[in-house]
Amino acid sequence: KAGVTQTPRYLIKTRGQQVTLSCSPISGHRSVSWYQQTPGQGLQFLFEYFSETQRNKGNFPGRFSGRQFSNSRSEMNVSTLELGDSALYLCASSLGRGGYNEQFFGPGTRLTVL
Amino acid sequence: AQKVTQAQTEISVVEKEDVTLDCVYETRDTTYYLFWYKQPPSGELVFLIRRNSFDEQNEISGRYSWNFQKSTSSFNFTITASQVVDSAVYFCALSSASGYALNFGKGTSLLVTP
């Protein structure tokens, strides 16, 4: 079974630009969550999607958004990039909703904002 | 609110030594789940174990073992006879039964040298 895939693996952008990251969950998994990882803040929950609906969102500004498609693939978008958005963005998929579900993580997209 | 504390930021051991990674958590929930993840240099978070709050039995899986003690709100992870391949950052995480996100500790960076 293929794991969670994320594209691209690396991105370099400049301040003010916007970026879209993609995540393909494990086949059959309907829940996709996104996390941001930075040296200072560690791993922080961004949002959770299930059945094409955002179910929950972490404490992030509205510049961070996302969506989920009917095939469970998900994208997240960050607009008006700031230097502080430089991070590793991890996507995780699970069969169902709920933090108790085992979440399988992808390799992440490393975003650098210059 | 939930909180996970991994007081050890970095640990360095010589191969074949045993090493214990500490995890202390805070939660008001009676039902919750604890996890350990491994993050090798490649960046992908690898699931190691999940334990629910009603199961205090210790678990052993090969060289890995976990000690869950509700009385001290701890879920410690021991690697016996460490190997160089164990070098990684290890994260302890917590979620509630009704939760949707993993609350991660800051992680412990383990370096195993030959």
Side-chain angles (χ1 to χ4, degrees):
Chain A
K1 210 177 205 183
V4 178
T5 58
Q6 292 186 245
T7 57
R9 293 293 311 278
Y10 302 92
L11 266 177
I12 299 177
K13 293 286 187 179
T14 56
R15 279 180 300 175
Q17 288 186 310
Q18 76 167 22
V19 66
T20 299
L21 313 182
S22 180
C23 170
S24 291
I26 292 172
S27 177
H29 284 194
R30 297 173 62 196
S31 176
V32 172
S33 297
W34 289 87
Y35 292 81
Q36 181 197 62
Q37 185 177 23
T38 59
Q41 298 299 317
L43 280 152
Q44 293 183 288
F45 170 77
L46 274 160
F47 23 62
E48 177 211 6
Y49 285 88
F50 185 82
S51 294
E52 302 177 61
T53 303
Q54 185 182 97
R55 302 292 176 157
N56 293 287
K57 185 172 182 179
N59 189 24
F60 281 84
R63 300 185 297 106
F64 291 82
S65 63
R67 57 178 175 169
Q68 186 181 35
F69 302 94
S70 58
N71 62 358
S72 294
R73 190 177 71 85
S74 176
E75 290 181 346
M76 68 163 280
N77 184 76
V78 188
S79 62
T80 319
L81 284 167
E82 300 177 359
L83 295 179
D85 297 333
S86 294
L88 179 66
Y89 290 89
L90 292 162
C91 166
S93 77
S94 60
L95 275 172
R97 295 198 62 217
Y100 53 84
N101 280 285
E102 182 181 339
Q103 296 191 33
F104 295 83
F105 284 81
T109 293
R110 186 164 295 281
L111 171 65
T112 302
V113 182
L114 302 175
Chain B
Q2 298 185 331
K3 184 179 178 182
V4 176
T5 301
Q6 294 180 257
Q8 304 150 308
T9 306
E10 296 180 352
I11 299 176
S12 182
V13 299
V14 177
E15 206 170 20
K16 297 183 183 176
E17 284 186 18
D18 297 347
V19 58
T20 295
L21 310 182
D22 297 333
C23 173
V24 174
Y25 62 91
E26 296 175 28
T27 181
R28 294 178 185 162
D29 297 315
T30 54
T31 302
Y32 52 89
Y33 297 81
L34 293 161
F35 301 79
W36 275 96
Y37 280 86
K38 173 183 179 180
Q39 187 176 42
S42 60
E44 183 174 344
L45 282 168
V46 178
F47 168 84
L48 295 177
I49 190 172
R50 175 184 56 200
R51 174 69 74 212
N52 73 56
S53 54
F54 297 106
D55 184 1
E56 286 193 73
Q57 284 190 349
N58 293 332
E59 180 154 340
I60 298 175
S61 177
R63 296 183 298 107
Y64 295 171
S65 63
W66 291 268
N67 180 266
F68 175 30
Q69 290 194 334
K70 287 180 74 171
S71 60
T72 56
S73 297
S74 64
F75 186 43
N76 297 336
F77 172 32
T78 297
I79 302 175
T80 302
S82 60
Q83 300 176 1
V84 172
V85 293
D86 294 327
S87 297
V89 181
Y90 291 85
F91 291 93
C92 180
L94 168 69
S95 72
S96 64
S98 58
Y100 45 84
L102 291 167
N103 293 287
F104 286 91
K106 294 293 189 184
T108 297
S109 178
L110 174 65
L111 177 64
V112 182
T113 55

